[in-house]
Amino acid sequence: MSEESQFTTEEQPIVKISIYTPIIYVAVLLTTFIIFSIYYRKRKVQKLANMEPFFPENIQKDMYYELKDEDPKPNDRVLKAALIRMGSEALRRMIKLRESQQYVKVLYQKGSIGDELNENYKIALKIQEVELQSAAVEAESYKQGWGATFFAVCQEVTFNEALRRRIQSIEDRKDWTNKQWLDTVESIEKKVIEAKK
């Protein structure tokens, strides 16, 4: 046998593929991706809807929008005061979130908190940023340029309320301590009187 006859190749039959085969393949692939995307988004939205909020409901924000939507519109001073309360509450929440940001990051990196709590924290941060921006827009709608001083006023209100809460807690603690002291003194007096008998 010669070398040429050893390397003879058998002719393979030619398989004809319909032009519709790749089109059907692409259509099935796209349909699968679309269905997966819809399912994934619905699941993500449902997860976000079922997620427990980081803060309780913002009563100041609700009160401001209720006052704004009232039919006999209240005085602008009332609306501005309600807006300042709304802004100070949003600022207080943002300060709380910023204070705990470093701790959340460290706890998440160590694995002490899960993905759900970390995502909840990030969402709360974004919500507070949006609330601060909407408060600034509302402030600008009352008076052009008020947005610059608006947050300074809100910060002052926030710090004054924090100081008031601390003073009140000190007063409450003082009252509790005085009551405990009086109860202790009365019980000692009773024991002394009983001992003398």
Side-chain angles (χ1 to χ4, degrees), residues 16-27:
K16 293 184 179 181
I17 299 176
S18 171
I19 188 133
Y20 297 114
T21 304
I23 294 173
I24 292 171
Y25 176 76
V26 169

Side-chain angles (χ1 to χ4, degrees), residues 54 97 99-110 113 117-118 121-122:
F54 213 73
L97 288 171
E99 285 175 351
S100 61
Q101 186 173 19
Q102 179 183 359
Y103 303 114
V104 170
K105 186 183 284 187
V106 168
L107 289 172
Y108 181 68
Q109 287 173 349
K110 288 184 176 181
I113 60 173
L117 185 61
N118 190 43
Y121 175 79
K122 288 179 182 178

Side-chain angles (χ1 to χ4, degrees), residues 85 157 159-169:
R85 298 286 298 166
V157 169
F159 291 155
N160 285 339
E161 286 179 353
L163 186 61
R164 190 177 303 124
R165 280 193 302 269
R166 285 189 181 128
I167 290 171
Q168 185 61 44
S169 72

Side-chain angles (χ1 to χ4, degrees), residues 3-4 28 34 56 69 92 104 130 147-150 169 175:
E3 288 182 21
E4 290 178 16
V28 167
I34 290 170
D69 294 338
R92 183 188 72 81
V104 170
V130 168
T149 59
F150 172 73
S169 72
D175 292 342

Side-chain angles (χ1 to χ4, degrees), residues 44-178:
K44 192 170 185 179
V45 166
Q46 186 178 21
K47 184 180 175 184
L48 288 174
N50 292 337
M51 197 173 275
E52 203 171 309
F54 213 73
F55 291 108
E57 187 177 357
N58 192 344
I59 297 169
Q60 288 82 356
K61 181 177 79 169
D62 296 341
M63 194 177 342
Y64 170 73
Y65 285 115
E66 283 179 16
L67 284 172
K68 189 177 177 184
D69 294 338
E70 276 187 10
D71 193 18
K73 197 169 184 182
N75 190 348
D76 274 351
R77 289 183 180 185
V78 173
L79 288 174
K80 286 179 183 178
L83 180 62
I84 289 172
R85 298 286 298 166
M86 179 181 97
S88 82
E89 178 62 21
L91 193 62
R92 183 188 72 81
R93 290 177 178 199
M94 182 59 90
I95 290 170
K96 289 281 188 193
L97 288 171
R98 296 290 169 144
E99 285 175 351
S100 61
Q101 186 173 19
Q102 179 183 359
Y103 303 114
V104 170
K105 186 183 284 187
V106 168
L107 289 172
Y108 181 68
Q109 287 173 349
K110 288 184 176 181
S112 297
I113 60 173
D115 291 335
E116 188 173 322
L117 185 61
N118 190 43
E119 284 298 316
N120 197 357
Y121 175 79
K122 288 179 182 178
I123 291 169
L125 203 59
K126 288 177 185 176
I127 288 172
Q128 292 312 309
E129 288 173 0
V130 168
E131 283 189 11
L132 285 172
Q133 289 173 354
S134 69
V137 168
E138 289 288 328
E140 286 291 325
S141 71
Y142 285 108
K143 184 178 177 183
Q144 193 68 21
W146 190 40
T149 59
F150 172 73
F151 285 114
V153 172
C154 290
Q155 184 177 13
E156 194 172 322
V157 169
T158 303
F159 291 155
N160 285 339
E161 286 179 353
L163 186 61
R164 190 177 303 124
R165 280 193 302 269
R166 285 189 181 128
I167 290 171
Q168 185 61 44
S169 72
I170 290 170
E171 290 294 323
D172 292 344
R173 196 173 306 135
K174 182 179 113 180
D175 292 342
W176 180 82
T177 306
N178 285 341

